[in-house]
Protein backbone atom coordinates (compact mmCIF):
# COMPACT_ATOMS: atom_id res chain seq x y z
CA UNK A 1 0.00 0.00 0.00
CA UNK A 2 1.46 3.35 -1.06
CA UNK A 3 0.42 6.40 0.95
CA UNK A 4 0.22 9.52 -1.17
CA UNK A 5 -0.31 13.23 -0.71
CA UNK A 6 -1.76 15.27 -3.58
CA UNK A 7 -0.94 18.97 -3.78
CA UNK A 8 -3.59 20.50 -6.07
CA UNK A 9 -6.09 17.63 -5.70
CA UNK A 10 -9.04 19.57 -7.14
CA UNK A 11 -7.32 20.39 -10.44
CA UNK A 12 -7.07 18.48 -13.69
CA UNK A 13 -3.99 16.45 -12.66
CA UNK A 14 -5.28 16.08 -9.10
CA UNK A 15 -8.63 14.61 -10.14
CA UNK A 16 -6.98 12.29 -12.69
CA UNK A 17 -4.69 11.07 -9.90
CA UNK A 18 -7.64 10.40 -7.60
CA UNK A 19 -9.29 8.54 -10.45
CA UNK A 20 -6.37 6.10 -10.34
CA UNK A 21 -6.52 5.90 -6.55
CA UNK A 22 -10.22 5.04 -6.80
CA UNK A 23 -9.49 2.32 -9.36
CA UNK A 24 -6.74 0.72 -7.27
CA UNK A 25 -7.81 1.06 -3.64
CA UNK A 26 -5.61 -1.87 -2.59
CA UNK A 27 -2.49 -0.11 -3.91
CA UNK A 28 -2.92 3.58 -3.05
CA UNK A 29 -4.33 5.57 -0.19
CA UNK A 30 -4.63 9.37 -0.37
CA UNK A 31 -3.71 10.49 3.14
CA UNK A 32 -3.40 14.22 2.42
CA UNK A 33 -5.02 16.57 -0.10
CA UNK A 34 -4.58 20.28 -0.75
CA UNK A 35 -6.25 22.87 -2.97
CA UNK A 36 -6.38 26.63 -3.46
CA UNK A 37 -9.96 27.79 -2.85
CA UNK A 38 -12.31 25.09 -4.16
CA UNK A 39 -13.83 23.93 -0.87
CA UNK A 40 -16.89 22.33 -2.54
CA UNK A 41 -14.75 19.98 -4.64
CA UNK A 42 -12.43 19.27 -1.72
CA UNK A 43 -15.43 18.32 0.43
CA UNK A 44 -16.47 15.72 -2.19
CA UNK A 45 -12.92 14.35 -2.18
CA UNK A 46 -12.79 14.24 1.62
CA UNK A 47 -16.00 12.20 1.68
CA UNK A 48 -14.89 9.86 -1.10
CA UNK A 49 -11.26 9.28 -0.05
CA UNK A 50 -11.21 9.93 3.71
CA UNK A 51 -7.76 11.58 3.93
CA UNK A 52 -6.31 12.24 7.40
CA UNK A 53 -5.51 15.87 6.65
CA UNK A 54 -6.33 18.50 4.02
CA UNK A 55 -5.40 22.13 3.44
CA UNK A 56 -6.78 25.05 1.47
CA UNK A 57 -4.39 27.90 0.77
CA UNK A 58 -7.34 30.31 0.86
CA UNK A 59 -8.30 31.07 4.46
CA UNK A 60 -11.98 31.80 3.81
CA UNK A 61 -12.33 28.58 1.79
CA UNK A 62 -10.80 26.62 4.69
CA UNK A 63 -13.35 28.15 7.07
CA UNK A 64 -16.15 27.14 4.69
CA UNK A 65 -14.79 23.59 4.53
CA UNK A 66 -14.68 23.38 8.35
CA UNK A 67 -18.34 24.38 8.40
CA UNK A 68 -19.21 21.88 5.66
CA UNK A 69 -17.70 18.73 7.08
CA UNK A 70 -17.41 18.64 10.84
CA UNK A 71 -18.72 15.05 10.72
CA UNK A 72 -15.77 13.62 8.76
CA UNK A 73 -13.04 13.90 11.39
CA UNK A 74 -10.57 15.23 8.82
CA UNK A 75 -7.97 17.77 10.00
CA UNK A 76 -8.36 20.99 8.00
CA UNK A 77 -5.39 23.35 7.69
CA UNK A 78 -5.11 26.65 5.84
CA UNK A 79 -2.74 29.08 4.20
CA UNK A 80 0.58 28.32 2.54
CA UNK A 81 1.78 27.00 5.87
CA UNK A 82 -1.08 24.50 5.99
CA UNK A 83 -0.37 23.34 2.44
CA UNK A 84 3.30 22.92 3.32
CA UNK A 85 2.41 20.94 6.44
CA UNK A 86 0.41 18.49 4.33
CA UNK A 87 3.28 18.35 1.81
CA UNK A 88 5.62 17.17 4.55
CA UNK A 89 3.18 14.75 6.21
CA UNK A 90 5.33 12.07 7.88
CA UNK A 91 3.11 9.21 6.67
CA UNK A 92 3.50 9.87 2.92
CA UNK A 93 5.54 7.67 0.59
CA UNK A 94 5.00 9.93 -2.43
CA UNK A 95 3.89 13.52 -2.94
CA UNK A 96 2.06 14.40 -6.16
CA UNK A 97 3.02 17.97 -6.98
CA UNK A 98 0.11 19.32 -9.05
CA UNK A 99 -0.50 22.89 -7.93
CA UNK A 100 -0.53 25.31 -10.86
CA UNK A 101 2.20 27.94 -11.09
CA UNK A 102 4.92 29.23 -8.82
CA UNK A 103 2.66 28.72 -5.78
CA UNK A 104 3.85 25.11 -5.84
CA UNK A 105 7.51 25.92 -5.28
CA UNK A 106 7.54 26.25 -1.47
CA UNK A 107 5.47 23.13 -0.69
CA UNK A 108 7.22 21.01 -3.33
CA UNK A 109 10.66 21.97 -2.05
CA UNK A 110 9.49 21.35 1.52
CA UNK A 111 8.39 17.82 0.54
CA UNK A 112 11.81 17.18 -1.00
CA UNK A 113 13.61 18.52 2.05
CA UNK A 114 11.47 16.21 4.19
CA UNK A 115 12.78 13.31 2.11
CA UNK A 116 9.55 12.51 0.22
CA UNK A 117 9.71 11.16 -3.31
CA UNK A 118 7.85 13.45 -5.69
CA UNK A 119 5.69 12.83 -8.77
CA UNK A 120 6.11 16.16 -10.50
CA UNK A 121 3.38 17.67 -12.69
CA UNK A 122 3.83 21.25 -11.49
CA UNK A 123 6.55 22.39 -13.91
CA UNK A 124 6.77 26.05 -12.90
CA UNK A 125 8.87 25.40 -9.72
CA UNK A 126 11.36 23.49 -11.88
CA UNK A 127 11.58 26.54 -14.16
CA UNK A 128 11.96 28.93 -11.22
CA UNK A 129 14.54 26.97 -9.25
CA UNK A 130 15.47 23.78 -11.10
CA UNK A 131 19.08 23.85 -9.95
CA UNK A 132 18.04 24.11 -6.32
CA UNK A 133 15.35 21.42 -6.61
CA UNK A 134 17.79 19.00 -8.21
CA UNK A 135 20.46 19.75 -5.62
CA UNK A 136 18.06 19.28 -2.70
CA UNK A 137 16.65 16.07 -4.19
CA UNK A 138 20.19 14.64 -4.41
CA UNK A 139 21.04 15.77 -0.91
CA UNK A 140 17.94 14.13 0.58
CA UNK A 141 18.03 10.99 -1.58
CA UNK A 142 14.70 11.90 -3.16
CA UNK A 143 13.49 10.62 -6.52
CA UNK A 144 11.54 12.92 -8.82
CA UNK A 145 9.24 11.08 -11.23
CA UNK A 146 8.05 13.20 -14.15
CA UNK A 147 4.29 13.40 -14.72
CA UNK A 148 4.34 15.88 -17.62
CA UNK A 149 3.60 13.60 -20.60
CA UNK A 150 6.68 14.66 -22.60
CA UNK A 151 9.03 14.15 -19.67
CA UNK A 152 7.44 10.85 -18.78
CA UNK A 153 8.00 9.80 -22.40
CA UNK A 154 11.66 10.82 -22.22
CA UNK A 155 12.07 9.11 -18.87
CA UNK A 156 10.61 5.92 -20.36
CA UNK A 157 12.74 6.26 -23.51
CA UNK A 158 15.89 6.52 -21.37
CA UNK A 159 15.24 3.36 -19.36
CA UNK A 160 17.92 0.79 -20.10
CA UNK A 161 20.05 3.25 -22.10
CA UNK A 162 23.28 5.05 -21.21
CA UNK A 163 22.83 8.79 -20.78
CA UNK A 164 26.22 9.51 -22.36
CA UNK A 165 24.85 7.99 -25.58
CA UNK A 166 22.09 10.62 -25.86
CA UNK A 167 22.35 12.99 -28.80
CA UNK A 168 19.03 14.83 -28.49
CA UNK A 169 15.94 14.95 -26.37
CA UNK A 170 13.06 15.72 -28.75
CA UNK A 171 10.01 17.17 -27.03
CA UNK A 172 6.82 16.96 -29.06
CA UNK A 173 4.31 19.83 -29.03
CA UNK A 174 0.71 19.65 -30.21
CA UNK A 175 0.94 23.22 -31.49
CA UNK A 176 -2.15 24.05 -29.44
CA UNK A 177 -5.48 25.49 -30.57
CA UNK A 178 -4.02 28.36 -32.65
CA UNK A 179 -1.42 26.53 -34.74
CA UNK A 180 -3.18 27.25 -38.04
CA UNK A 181 -3.76 30.97 -37.46
CA UNK A 182 -1.77 33.85 -38.97
CA UNK A 183 -0.20 36.44 -36.67
CA UNK A 184 -2.91 38.90 -37.67
CA UNK A 185 -5.64 36.42 -36.72
CA UNK A 186 -3.88 35.64 -33.43
CA UNK A 187 -3.97 39.30 -32.45
CA UNK A 188 -7.75 39.11 -32.08
CA UNK A 189 -8.09 35.71 -30.41
CA UNK A 190 -10.33 35.77 -27.34
CA UNK A 191 -9.69 33.52 -24.30
CA UNK A 192 -12.70 31.32 -25.14
CA UNK A 193 -11.04 30.33 -28.44
CA UNK A 194 -7.53 29.98 -26.98
CA UNK A 195 -8.94 27.67 -24.28
CA UNK A 196 -10.14 25.09 -26.86
CA UNK A 197 -7.23 22.65 -26.83
CA UNK A 198 -7.53 20.06 -29.61
CA UNK A 199 -6.15 17.04 -27.69
CA UNK A 200 -5.93 17.64 -23.93
CA UNK A 201 -8.39 18.81 -21.30
CA UNK A 202 -6.32 20.73 -18.77
CA UNK A 203 -6.44 23.71 -16.40
CA UNK A 204 -6.83 27.18 -17.97
CA UNK A 205 -3.28 28.40 -17.33
CA UNK A 206 -1.52 25.50 -19.05
CA UNK A 207 -4.07 25.60 -21.90
CA UNK A 208 -3.15 29.22 -22.64
CA UNK A 209 0.52 28.25 -22.30
CA UNK A 210 -0.14 25.60 -24.97
CA UNK A 211 -1.70 28.21 -27.25
CA UNK A 212 1.37 30.50 -26.99
CA UNK A 213 3.82 27.51 -26.97
CA UNK A 214 5.17 28.92 -23.70
CA UNK A 215 4.23 25.53 -22.29
CA UNK A 216 6.92 24.03 -24.51
CA UNK A 217 9.37 26.78 -23.49
CA UNK A 218 8.75 25.88 -19.84
CA UNK A 219 9.12 22.19 -20.70
CA UNK A 220 12.52 22.75 -22.32
CA UNK A 221 13.72 24.23 -19.02
CA UNK A 222 12.04 21.43 -17.09
CA UNK A 223 13.74 18.80 -19.28
CA UNK A 224 17.12 20.44 -18.75
CA UNK A 225 16.86 20.12 -14.97
CA UNK A 226 15.17 16.72 -14.90
CA UNK A 227 17.57 15.01 -17.28
CA UNK A 228 20.74 17.13 -17.04
CA UNK A 229 20.93 17.75 -20.80
CA UNK A 230 22.14 21.14 -22.15
CA UNK A 231 19.76 23.37 -24.19
CA UNK A 232 21.65 22.68 -27.46
CA UNK A 233 20.64 19.04 -27.13
CA UNK A 234 16.96 19.70 -26.52
CA UNK A 235 14.76 20.02 -29.62
CA UNK A 236 11.08 20.69 -30.15
CA UNK A 237 8.96 19.04 -32.84
CA UNK A 238 5.36 19.97 -33.54
CA UNK A 239 3.23 16.85 -33.76
CA UNK A 240 -0.45 17.77 -34.00
CA UNK A 241 -1.92 14.43 -33.00
CA UNK A 242 -0.22 14.12 -29.56
CA UNK A 243 0.36 10.39 -30.03
CA UNK A 244 4.17 10.38 -29.81
CA UNK A 245 4.71 11.97 -26.42
CA UNK A 246 8.46 12.63 -26.96
CA UNK A 247 11.60 10.97 -28.29
CA UNK A 248 15.25 10.42 -27.45
CA UNK A 249 17.82 10.25 -30.24
CA UNK A 250 20.97 8.24 -29.48
CA UNK A 251 24.39 8.59 -31.07
CA UNK A 252 24.06 5.43 -33.17
CA UNK A 253 21.06 7.00 -34.93
CA UNK A 254 18.41 5.10 -32.96
CA UNK A 255 15.40 7.11 -31.91
CA UNK A 256 13.37 5.73 -29.00
CA UNK A 257 9.90 7.13 -28.35
CA UNK A 258 6.87 6.52 -26.15
CA UNK A 259 3.44 6.53 -27.80
CA UNK A 260 -0.11 6.42 -26.54
CA UNK A 261 -3.47 8.13 -26.78
CA UNK A 262 -3.42 11.51 -25.02
CA UNK A 263 -4.60 10.61 -21.52
CA UNK A 264 -2.73 11.97 -18.50
CA UNK A 265 -3.63 8.88 -16.47
CA UNK A 266 -0.91 6.97 -18.32
CA UNK A 267 2.03 9.19 -17.25
CA UNK A 268 0.48 9.81 -13.81
CA UNK A 269 0.15 6.08 -13.14
CA UNK A 270 3.72 5.43 -14.27
CA UNK A 271 4.97 8.04 -11.81
CA UNK A 272 2.74 6.65 -9.05
CA UNK A 273 3.73 3.05 -9.46
CA UNK A 274 7.18 3.07 -11.12
CA UNK A 275 8.52 0.74 -12.41
CA UNK A 276 5.37 -1.36 -12.48
CA UNK A 277 2.65 -0.55 -15.03
CA UNK A 278 -0.94 -0.50 -13.85
CA UNK A 279 -3.72 -2.22 -15.83
CA UNK A 280 -5.57 1.02 -16.59
CA UNK A 281 -7.66 -0.57 -19.36
CA UNK A 282 -7.79 2.61 -21.41
CA UNK A 283 -8.91 2.39 -25.06
CA UNK A 284 -6.04 0.99 -27.19
CA UNK A 285 -3.98 3.09 -29.58
CA UNK A 286 -4.97 1.97 -33.07
CA UNK A 287 -2.32 3.28 -35.46
CA UNK A 288 -3.79 1.39 -38.41
CA UNK A 289 -7.06 3.25 -38.05
CA UNK A 290 -5.22 6.52 -37.55
CA UNK A 291 -3.37 6.10 -40.85
CA UNK A 292 -0.71 8.73 -40.39
CA UNK A 293 1.05 11.02 -37.97
CA UNK A 294 2.27 14.49 -38.94
CA UNK A 295 5.29 16.60 -37.94
CA UNK A 296 6.30 20.24 -38.38
CA UNK A 297 9.20 22.46 -37.36
CA UNK A 298 8.15 24.99 -34.69
CA UNK A 299 7.40 28.49 -36.03
CA UNK A 300 9.30 31.02 -33.93
CA UNK A 301 7.77 34.06 -35.66
CA UNK A 302 4.23 33.23 -34.67
CA UNK A 303 5.21 31.59 -31.38
CA UNK A 304 8.03 33.68 -29.84
CA UNK A 305 7.43 32.26 -26.33
CA UNK A 306 9.26 29.06 -27.19
CA UNK A 307 12.42 31.01 -27.98
CA UNK A 308 12.03 33.03 -24.78
CA UNK A 309 12.10 29.75 -22.85
CA UNK A 310 15.39 28.75 -24.49
CA UNK A 311 16.81 32.26 -23.95
CA UNK A 312 15.95 32.21 -20.23
CA UNK A 313 17.57 28.82 -19.83
CA UNK A 314 20.75 29.94 -21.62
CA UNK A 315 21.01 33.09 -19.46
CA UNK A 316 20.34 31.01 -16.36
CA UNK A 317 20.42 32.32 -12.77
CA UNK A 318 17.23 34.18 -11.92
CA UNK A 319 16.12 34.65 -15.56
CA UNK A 320 13.90 31.54 -15.81
CA UNK A 321 12.08 32.56 -12.60
CA UNK A 322 11.54 35.98 -14.20
CA UNK A 323 10.20 34.41 -17.39
CA UNK A 324 7.81 32.24 -15.39
CA UNK A 325 6.46 35.04 -13.20
CA UNK A 326 5.96 37.41 -16.15
CA UNK A 327 4.14 34.63 -18.01
CA UNK A 328 1.83 33.95 -15.06
CA UNK A 329 0.93 37.63 -14.80
CA UNK A 330 0.45 38.01 -18.57
CA UNK A 331 -1.73 34.89 -18.83
CA UNK A 332 -3.90 36.05 -15.91
CA UNK A 333 -4.31 39.49 -17.54
CA UNK A 334 -5.14 37.87 -20.89
CA UNK A 335 -7.78 35.61 -19.28
CA UNK A 336 -9.37 38.75 -17.78
CA UNK A 337 -9.26 40.29 -21.29
CA UNK A 338 -7.04 43.13 -20.08
CA UNK A 339 -4.44 42.48 -22.77
CA UNK A 340 -4.45 40.83 -26.19
CA UNK A 341 -3.10 37.41 -27.07
CA UNK A 342 0.10 38.71 -28.69
CA UNK A 343 0.73 40.95 -25.68
CA UNK A 344 1.53 37.86 -23.60
CA UNK A 345 4.88 37.37 -25.33
CA UNK A 346 5.52 41.13 -25.35
CA UNK A 347 5.03 41.37 -21.57
CA UNK A 348 7.39 38.45 -20.94
CA UNK A 349 10.03 39.80 -23.32
CA UNK A 350 9.95 43.30 -21.79
CA UNK A 351 10.14 41.91 -18.26
CA UNK A 352 13.12 39.75 -19.18
CA UNK A 353 14.85 42.69 -20.91
CA UNK A 354 14.47 44.77 -17.76
CA UNK A 355 15.86 42.01 -15.54
CA UNK A 356 19.48 41.80 -14.48
CA UNK A 357 19.96 38.12 -13.90
CA UNK A 358 21.91 37.08 -10.83
CA UNK A 359 23.00 33.76 -9.42
CA UNK A 360 20.27 31.62 -7.89
CA UNK A 361 21.57 29.72 -4.90
CA UNK A 362 18.65 29.76 -2.48
CA UNK A 363 14.89 29.58 -2.30
CA UNK A 364 14.92 33.23 -1.21
CA UNK A 365 16.73 34.21 -4.47
CA UNK A 366 14.00 32.48 -6.50
CA UNK A 367 11.16 34.05 -4.51
CA UNK A 368 12.75 37.48 -4.76
CA UNK A 369 13.15 37.19 -8.56
CA UNK A 370 9.55 35.99 -8.74
CA UNK A 371 8.29 38.95 -6.70
CA UNK A 372 10.35 41.44 -8.73
CA UNK A 373 9.12 40.06 -12.05
CA UNK A 374 5.47 40.04 -10.96
CA UNK A 375 5.72 43.71 -10.05
CA UNK A 376 7.55 44.60 -13.27
CA UNK A 377 5.09 42.66 -15.43
CA UNK A 378 2.15 44.29 -13.65
CA UNK A 379 3.43 47.75 -14.50
CA UNK A 380 4.09 46.73 -18.13
CA UNK A 381 0.56 45.31 -18.34
CA UNK A 382 -1.01 48.48 -16.93
CA UNK A 383 0.78 50.52 -19.63
CA UNK A 384 -0.61 48.19 -22.29
CA UNK A 385 -4.20 48.41 -21.06
CA UNK A 386 -4.99 51.65 -22.91
P1 LIG B 1 -5.60 23.23 -12.50
O1 LIG B 1 -5.78 24.69 -12.60
O2 LIG B 1 -6.62 22.33 -13.09
O3 LIG B 1 -5.43 22.81 -10.95
C1 LIG B 1 -4.57 23.49 -10.10
C2 LIG B 1 -4.68 22.99 -8.67
O4 LIG B 1 -3.84 23.82 -7.84
C3 LIG B 1 -6.09 23.08 -8.07
O5 LIG B 1 -6.28 22.04 -7.16
C4 LIG B 1 -6.06 24.42 -7.32
O6 LIG B 1 -6.99 24.47 -6.26
C5 LIG B 1 -4.63 24.43 -6.81
N1 LIG B 1 -4.10 25.79 -6.59
C6 LIG B 1 -4.20 26.84 -7.42
N2 LIG B 1 -3.60 27.93 -6.89
C7 LIG B 1 -3.09 27.53 -5.70
C8 LIG B 1 -2.35 28.19 -4.68
N3 LIG B 1 -2.03 29.50 -4.78
N4 LIG B 1 -1.97 27.48 -3.59
C9 LIG B 1 -2.31 26.18 -3.47
N5 LIG B 1 -3.02 25.50 -4.41
C10 LIG B 1 -3.40 26.17 -5.51
O7 LIG B 1 -4.16 22.90 -13.12
P2 LIG B 1 -3.68 21.55 -13.85
O8 LIG B 1 -4.02 21.61 -15.29
O9 LIG B 1 -4.06 20.36 -13.06
O10 LIG B 1 -2.10 21.73 -13.77
C11 LIG B 1 -1.37 21.56 -12.57
C12 LIG B 1 0.12 21.58 -12.89
O11 LIG B 1 0.44 20.44 -13.69
C13 LIG B 1 0.55 22.79 -13.70
O12 LIG B 1 1.84 23.19 -13.30
C14 LIG B 1 0.59 22.28 -15.13
O13 LIG B 1 1.53 22.97 -15.92
C15 LIG B 1 1.02 20.84 -14.92
N6 LIG B 1 0.58 19.91 -15.98
C16 LIG B 1 -0.74 19.74 -16.20
C17 LIG B 1 -1.17 18.87 -17.20
C18 LIG B 1 -2.64 18.61 -17.43
O14 LIG B 1 -2.98 17.73 -18.22
N7 LIG B 1 -3.54 19.32 -16.80
C19 LIG B 1 -0.22 18.21 -17.99
C20 LIG B 1 1.13 18.41 -17.73
C21 LIG B 1 1.52 19.26 -16.71
MG1 LIG C 1 3.44 18.54 -21.25
Amino acid sequence: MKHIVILGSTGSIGTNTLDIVAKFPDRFRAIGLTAGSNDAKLEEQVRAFRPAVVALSDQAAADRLRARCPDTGVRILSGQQGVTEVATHPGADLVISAIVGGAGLVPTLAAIRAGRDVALANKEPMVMAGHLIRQEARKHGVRIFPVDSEHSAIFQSMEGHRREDIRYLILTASGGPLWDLTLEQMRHVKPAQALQHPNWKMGDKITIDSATLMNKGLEVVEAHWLFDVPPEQIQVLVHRESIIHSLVEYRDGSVIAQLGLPDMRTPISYALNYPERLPLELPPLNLGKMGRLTFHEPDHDRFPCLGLGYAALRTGGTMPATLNAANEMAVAAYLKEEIGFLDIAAVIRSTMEAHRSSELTSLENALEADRWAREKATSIISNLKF
Side-chain angles (χ1 to χ4, degrees):
M1 176 68 81
K2 201 176 259 185
H3 291 130
I4 66 169
V5 157
I6 307 175
L7 308 177
S9 66
T10 59
S12 158
I13 294 288
T15 51
N16 271 310
T17 305
L18 283 172
D19 203 61
I20 296 168
V21 172
K23 243 190 201 133
F24 300 97
D26 49 331
R27 287 182 192 252
F28 306 107
R29 185 166 140 59
I31 59 165
L33 304 175
T34 83
S37 58
N38 193 345
D39 53 294
K41 181 106 197 169
L42 192 55
E43 181 192 359
E44 278 173 32
Q45 296 181 340
V46 164
R47 296 194 183 281
F49 295 95
R50 296 287 162 170
V53 58
V54 300
L56 283 152
S57 66
D58 185 279
Q59 188 72 52
D63 290 340
R64 287 196 301 270
L65 186 68
R66 286 190 190 103
R68 294 178 97 110
C69 43
D71 56 306
T72 58
V74 67
R75 255 182 89 211
I76 301 171
L77 308 175
S78 61
Q80 196 191 52
Q81 206 186 330
V83 172
T84 302
E85 196 176 325
V86 178
T88 56
H89 190 289
D93 302 304
L94 182 71
V95 173
I96 321 310
S97 168
I99 290 173
V100 60
L105 174 59
V106 168
T108 302
L109 194 60
I112 291 170
R113 285 177 169 162
R116 303 292 173 275
D117 283 345
V118 170
L120 187 80
N122 186 198
K123 64 194 85 183
E124 293 90 346
M126 223 34 178
V127 174
M128 296 168 74
H131 177 66
L132 188 67
I133 290 175
R134 196 169 70 184
Q135 186 181 305
E136 292 294 304
R138 279 189 188 150
K139 186 166 140 194
H140 296 280
V142 159
R143 293 209 63 177
I144 298 179
F145 300 102
V147 169
D148 213 346
S149 57
E150 296 77 3
H151 305 76
S152 176
I154 287 171
F155 179 57
Q156 296 181 53
S157 302
M158 284 169 63
E159 287 282 292
H161 299 273
R162 300 185 334 146
R163 43 179 324 110
E164 53 270 44
D165 291 338
I166 293 173
R167 190 147 63 168
Y168 292 109
L169 305 184
I170 306 168
L171 296 170
T172 52
S174 70
L178 310 180
W179 177 253
D180 297 315
L181 300 197
T182 64
L183 258 182
E184 201 37 46
Q185 290 170 318
M186 280 172 152
R187 188 179 307 283
H188 308 290
V189 165
K190 293 277 177 235
Q193 185 183 355
L195 284 169
Q196 297 302 317
H197 198 285
N199 307 337
W200 299 98
K201 206 184 153 338
M202 310 181 286
D204 287 357
K205 193 262 178 182
I206 184 176
T207 306
I208 299 301
D209 286 347
S210 300
T212 60
L213 285 203
M214 178 49 88
N215 184 47
K216 217 47 56 178
L218 300 176
E219 289 183 357
V220 166
V221 183
E222 183 188 11
H224 168 73
W225 293 117
L226 280 174
F227 304 116
D228 200 10
V229 169
E232 313 77 73
Q233 286 176 267
I234 306 176
Q235 298 180 349
V236 170
L237 179 66
V238 175
H239 164 48
R240 297 290 283 148
E241 297 83 4
S242 299
I243 295 297
I244 301 181
H245 297 303
S246 278
L247 317 89
V248 180
E249 180 179 327
Y250 291 93
R251 60 185 181 185
D252 63 353
S254 290
V255 179
I256 311 288
Q258 185 255 347
L259 287 71
L261 290 172
D263 189 319
M264 284 308 293
R265 287 173 296 184
T266 301
I268 292 170
S269 67
Y270 196 63
L272 283 183
N273 210 43
Y274 174 85
E276 232 182 279
R277 292 181 188 273
L278 291 169
L280 291 181
E281 277 150 28
L282 299 175
L285 169 63
N286 188 333
L287 287 172
K289 231 183 213 152
M290 205 156 252
R292 62 177 186 166
L293 299 175
T294 62
F295 306 96
H296 310 268
E297 295 294 341
D299 179 339
H300 290 280
D301 295 331
R302 286 184 303 136
F303 298 96
C305 286
L306 175 58
L308 293 174
Y310 274 103
L313 177 57
R314 289 204 174 93
T315 303
T318 50
M319 193 57 91
T322 302
L323 163 103
N324 177 66
N327 180 53
E328 285 191 36
M329 299 311 284
V331 169
Y334 173 68
L335 285 170
K336 285 187 270 175
E337 302 198 32
E338 293 173 356
I339 61 173
F341 184 77
L342 297 181
D343 292 332
I344 297 174
V347 169
I348 301 163
R349 187 191 300 281
S350 302
T351 309
M352 286 172 69
E353 279 169 3
H355 183 63
R356 286 191 38 205
S357 180
S358 58
E359 222 187 320
L360 192 154
T361 53
S362 68
L363 173 61
E364 287 63 39
N365 294 157
L367 295 175
E368 169 55 25
D370 178 74
R371 197 194 52 73
W372 178 89
R374 279 170 200 267
E375 238 167 62
K376 188 77 203 168
T378 302
S379 91
I380 294 167
I381 288 165
S382 60
N383 287 332
L384 276 172
K385 276 194 211 162
F386 37 84

